[in-house]
Amino acid sequence: MTPHYVVRHVDRADPETVAALRAAGVATVHEAAGRTGLLGPAVRARQTGAVVAGSAITVSCHPGDNLMVHAAVEVCRPGDVLVVGTTSRSTDGMVGDLLATSLMARGVVGLVIDAGVRDLASLRELGFPVWSRAVHAQGTAKAVPGSVNVPVVVDGQVVRPGDVVVADDDGVLALPVAMASDVAAAAAKRLAVEEGKRAALAAGTLGLDLYDLRPLLADLGVVHVDRLPDGVG
């Protein structure tokens, strides 16, 4: 039989770095990280306006079975994000309001799951943010072993234990701990530059001029005319 593990220890990023990445948000962090680490769009926010960042506690589950999610709760610490993958595609409702209540008692700030959740209205009332592949009332068993704190694949992206997970309305991103500090610094610089651009755009400057795109259009053969020439279009 293939062994399964519950790994208790995870190397986490420092809280200041996690807070900085949370403040920057997924889109800015993705750009600052060289456009790496982004999960696919199938796993999406099930509430509006939630923003979380924290260290990943990862769970590998058999589809339709949430036994290992229960096992993972014990190793969670305040500020963690629970990240659940399944060994094959699943949309079953693997986490509902009872498990969410247990996770909140451990200080978990959010859930990212490549499967389904249920009790969505209750999850929203609890204020427990979730990003999931599906919302589905289908229940699950508690019978098949898996592992906690091993690498998992979530919507095409490998997430490793301890990765810094950032999630908001734009999606979910996972960064290795070793990259987190440098990416946080780069994200802060991007935010400062974007603030200047935002002010210029609000004042009426066109993106064509702000980004010096007119020469590019000309090089690409784009011609400005007042009307289409006869016989064109």
Side-chain angles (χ1 to χ4, degrees), residues 106-205:
R106 301 291 291 187
V108 173
V109 297
L111 168 72
V112 176
I113 181 168
D114 201 356
V117 296
R118 64 182 188 174
D119 306 323
L120 186 57
S122 295
L123 293 175
R124 289 171 174 167
E125 288 176 6
L126 285 169
F128 185 69
V130 297
W131 287 256
S132 70
R133 175 174 291 275
V135 177
H136 196 193
Q138 177 63 50
T140 55
K142 298 173 178 61
V144 184
S147 291
V148 175
N149 285 330
V150 298
V152 296
V153 177
V154 181
D155 204 4
Q157 177 64 41
V158 176
V159 183
R160 298 172 178 83
D163 280 359
V164 181
V165 173
V166 186
D168 60 22
D169 285 339
D170 289 335
V172 184
L173 179 140
L175 285 176
V177 174
M179 292 178 58
S181 181
D182 289 343
V183 172
K189 292 179 181 179
R190 286 189 64 88
L191 288 173
V193 171
E194 288 174 359
E195 190 58 36
K197 291 178 178 178
R198 189 174 294 106
L201 292 168
T205 301

Side-chain angles (χ1 to χ4, degrees), residues 24 31 37 49 82 97 99 127 153 157 172 178 186 215:
E31 297 291 346
L82 191 70
D97 63 342
L99 258 174
V153 177
Q157 177 64 41
V172 184

